[in-house]
Amino acid sequence: YINHDGQDPNVKIQWMENDERYHNSSWLNEPLSFFESVWTPKLMLEYVALRDIQEGEEVLVDYGKVWEEAWNDHVKAWEPVEEYLSPYDLNKNVDIPLKTHEEDASIFNNIVGLHTDEKNEEREIHRIRARKPAPDSQTDDFVYDLEVIGSGNQVKRLKDVSRSQIHFFHKPYKADMFREESFRHEMIIPDEIFPNAWRNL
């Protein structure tokens, strides 16, 4: 992904140079009616650096004023609709006590947990049955009793599982970007890129 910077972008969008395989620059002189009978893409945009970009520096492009205004309006009006813990937060902050399914099963609506055993094999967590203070010999604050899905979809119970053996991921289409209240807006390609014959239609 290339993020937005309306003040100091380090790349811009432009048509690529003529290329036999990807880009036929003569098509930019054609009226839009020409493309009604064309089914092979032969126009391509490219990102070009506006200055030297250092190793590890983020690449940034200007999405346009309309996008930036829409984003600012979204930020001002946004309010969290529910308590939400992302898999990233759960995996990064292993000191957060995990809730059992009995305490709050709803947090597992959007995420799936995996247990990694000593052989580095992963199994999906079916339920977190219990949370207990860890023995003094362990560095974790808690250990967990789990139900995991084993071979043949058989449920297997595990006891005293270390927090470091549990990781979380989003279920398909349950990440932040798919949430109804997430920000969505098209990136704006500068008008000056387009031939005059394609404008104001």
Side-chain angles (χ1 to χ4, degrees):
Y1 298 101
I2 299 180
N3 283 325
H4 165 74
D5 189 329
Q7 303 301 318
D8 187 28
N10 51 22
V11 299
K12 68 175 182 178
I13 301 173
Q14 68 179 32
W15 296 110
M16 73 178 298
E17 295 182 359
N18 204 43
D19 181 276
E20 181 177 345
R21 183 177 180 183
Y22 295 111
H23 184 76
N24 186 341
S25 57
S26 68
W27 284 17
L28 296 173
N29 299 318
E30 299 288 349
L32 288 180
S33 58
F34 166 80
F35 297 98
E36 293 177 359
S37 59
V38 172
W39 297 98
T40 302
K42 274 284 188 173
L43 291 176
M44 184 169 289
L45 294 164
E46 61 184 1
Y47 293 92
V48 178
L50 296 170
R51 56 173 173 78
D52 290 342
I53 299 175
Q54 303 303 313
E55 182 177 352
E57 181 181 359
E58 185 176 9
V59 177
L60 300 165
V61 68
D62 185 0
Y63 289 2
K65 184 178 180 181
V66 173
W67 185 95
E68 186 166 307
E69 289 176 347
W71 169 253
N72 290 336
D73 290 342
H74 171 78
V75 171
K76 291 177 183 177
W78 183 84
E79 293 182 358
V81 295
E82 60 187 33
E83 184 180 353
Y84 177 72
L85 275 178
S86 72
Y88 173 82
D89 293 328
L90 290 171
N91 294 333
K92 180 181 179 182
N93 304 312
V94 294
D95 294 334
I96 298 176
L98 300 178
K99 291 184 178 181
T100 67
H101 277 70
E102 185 176 338
E103 290 173 329
D104 185 3
S106 67
I107 65 172
F108 299 97
N109 292 341
N110 299 321
I111 63 176
V112 60
L114 294 179
H115 167 256
T116 305
D117 64 17
E118 291 77 6
K119 297 180 180 179
N120 210 34
E121 295 181 352
E122 293 182 337
R123 291 183 172 86
E124 183 178 340
I125 297 172
H126 177 61
R127 291 176 64 87
I128 298 179
R129 294 179 55 86
R131 178 185 62 252
K132 301 177 291 186
D136 294 339
S137 60
Q138 297 197 21
T139 57
D140 294 344
D141 291 334
F142 298 97
V143 292
Y144 298 87
D145 291 352
L146 307 177
E147 291 180 0
V148 300
I149 300 175
S151 58
N153 287 329
Q154 296 296 313
V155 175
K156 178 181 179 181
R157 292 188 179 183
L158 303 176
K159 289 190 174 184
D160 298 338
V161 175
S162 168
R163 177 65 180 85
S164 60
Q165 294 178 281
I166 302 173
H167 302 278
F168 295 94
F169 301 89
H170 277 116
K171 291 181 179 179
Y173 302 104
K174 295 295 186 178
D176 290 1
M177 69 178 72
F178 299 107
R179 295 166 68 86
E180 184 176 349
E181 66 275 9
S182 295
F183 176 75
R184 297 175 179 85
H185 197 286
E186 65 272 14
M187 295 167 53
I188 307 301
I189 299 176
D191 287 345
E192 58 267 20
I193 282 182
F194 297 103
N196 288 330
W198 299 5
R199 302 185 195 180
N200 300 321
L201 298 175

